[in-house]
Amino acid sequence: MNLNITLTQQIDALLPQTQCGLCGHRDGCLPYAQAIVDGEEANKCIPGGQPVADQLAQLLNRPKLTAEQSVWPIQSDGRPQRMKAVIREDECIGCTKCISACPVDAIIGSGKLMHSILTDLCTGCELCIPPCPVDCIDLVEDQSPLITEQQRTIEQDELRSRYYAHIQRQESRRNTHKGPTVRAAIESEVFSQFTTEIGIDHDQVVTPPQTTPEQDAKRVIELAKIRTQMKKLDKQLTVRPDPAKLQLLAQLKEKLAMIEGA
């Protein structure tokens, strides 16, 4: 296995997978990871903040650098405040430009109809804001409790898979001239090489289920609803144990696993 690819994979695993491009790499975390291997400074991940800059310095055996400053306040875990995008739905004109811009497909809606953001999936990357012609998208603080490192790893793996699926959809749309492509042409060769070199089945990683847009939207909505229910139950159970709620939570986890694995 190519050693540079292995190191790129290790660096990419530490990056938050917001795919925001704030590091200066338009296609997000993986191209920045490759640039770090090639000698670029490892303190440019704004969402990761000082913790990620320090982790990268340790991995690479480089001097620790001060992370580039975020416009948002710093949380107790040392990372900038997590943000979520919300649409002022009564002002949305249904142009679909934000849908194409979202790197993790967290926005649903159809042409000339109101759009909605699935906040459980939103990374706060801000990429949906510039293309909105009526400026109806706001960023608000994520009020959820801070996540553990294990939860962060799971979240980053899911976001990475969603982004790879988004890339393939955008490439297909661009090649067939169906619908707008808001971001610049994606360097898909980078992702193809990466997944091939590390021995991942490219089709399995980046190919979304062969469903209609309506089916895909329904599936995403259902997953979001289940996650929301699970979060509420988790909070309730931390206050007061309840066997019935505990059983319901287990059932929801099973249902979530079944839908995600379908």
Side-chain angles (χ1 to χ4, degrees):
M1 184 182 290
N2 187 304
L3 292 179
N4 281 349
I5 292 292
T6 305
L7 183 56
T8 299
Q9 182 187 18
Q10 293 174 325
I11 295 170
D12 185 63
L14 294 176
L15 297 175
Q17 304 304 313
T18 54
Q19 318 301 346
C20 59
L22 292 175
C23 59
H25 293 271
R26 66 177 188 188
D27 292 334
C29 298
L30 180 57
Y32 179 42
Q34 288 195 311
I36 292 174
V37 171
D38 294 335
E40 189 165 326
E41 290 184 344
N43 65 334
K44 297 181 179 180
C45 177
I46 292 177
Q50 196 61 50
V52 167
D54 291 346
Q55 289 171 356
L56 290 173
Q58 183 177 4
L59 172 67
L60 299 164
N61 195 26
R62 296 181 187 176
K64 290 186 178 181
L65 299 173
T66 301
E68 291 198 1
Q69 190 172 4
S70 171
V71 299
W72 309 117
I74 303 301
Q75 302 176 145
S76 59
D77 63 357
R79 296 173 183 246
Q81 171 66 50
R82 286 167 66 105
M83 307 298 292
K84 298 287 185 180
V86 293
I87 294 176
R88 298 194 299 277
E89 297 178 345
D90 57 333
E91 300 176 30
C92 175
I93 61 174
C95 70
T96 74
K97 290 183 178 180
C98 61
I99 293 178
S100 184
C102 179
V104 293
D105 296 324
I107 305 177
I108 57 173
S110 300
K112 298 182 180 180
L113 296 174
M114 180 187 71
H115 298 348
S116 295
I117 295 176
L118 303 174
T119 53
D120 281 356
L121 300 177
C122 176
T123 67
C125 68
E126 307 181 32
L127 291 172
C128 59
I129 295 177
C132 177
V134 293
D135 194 24
C136 70
I137 303 176
D138 298 318
L139 287 174
V140 299
E141 290 189 4
D142 183 0
Q143 300 297 327
S144 303
L146 295 180
I147 60 177
T148 65
E149 286 304 311
Q150 183 179 10
Q151 290 171 327
R152 191 183 307 281
T153 299
I154 294 172
E155 178 185 75
Q156 290 176 181
D157 288 345
E158 181 179 356
L159 290 173
R160 187 182 297 107
S161 295
R162 292 187 66 83
Y163 184 46
Y164 286 1
H166 174 82
I167 288 170
Q168 190 172 52
R169 266 196 295 277
Q170 288 295 87
E171 283 293 286
S172 175
R173 184 175 297 150
R174 186 168 67 90
N175 292 335
T176 57
H177 306 287
K178 292 181 180 179
T181 300
V182 175
R183 301 187 73 184
I186 293 171
E187 296 175 5
S188 55
E189 296 82 2
V190 171
F191 298 90
S192 176
Q193 177 197 16
F194 179 77
T195 54
T196 300
E197 289 284 350
I198 63 175
I200 296 177
D201 186 328
H202 187 266
D203 289 334
Q204 287 185 7
V205 172
V206 303
T207 302
Q210 298 302 309
T211 57
T212 65
E214 292 78 10
Q215 289 173 325
D216 190 48
K218 287 180 180 178
R219 178 177 180 272
V220 171
I221 291 171
E222 187 173 4
L223 287 171
K225 286 181 177 178
I226 293 174
R227 292 191 182 99
T228 300
Q229 285 181 275
M230 289 171 60
K231 283 185 178 180
K232 289 180 179 178
L233 286 170
D234 273 328
K235 289 180 181 178
Q236 292 170 358
L237 287 168
T238 58
V239 176
R240 182 180 302 165
D242 186 320
K245 290 180 179 179
L246 191 62
Q247 183 179 5
L248 178 58
L249 180 61
Q251 292 172 350
L252 288 172
K253 287 180 178 179
E254 290 181 7
K255 187 175 180 180
L256 183 70
M258 287 178 61
I259 296 175
E260 288 180 331

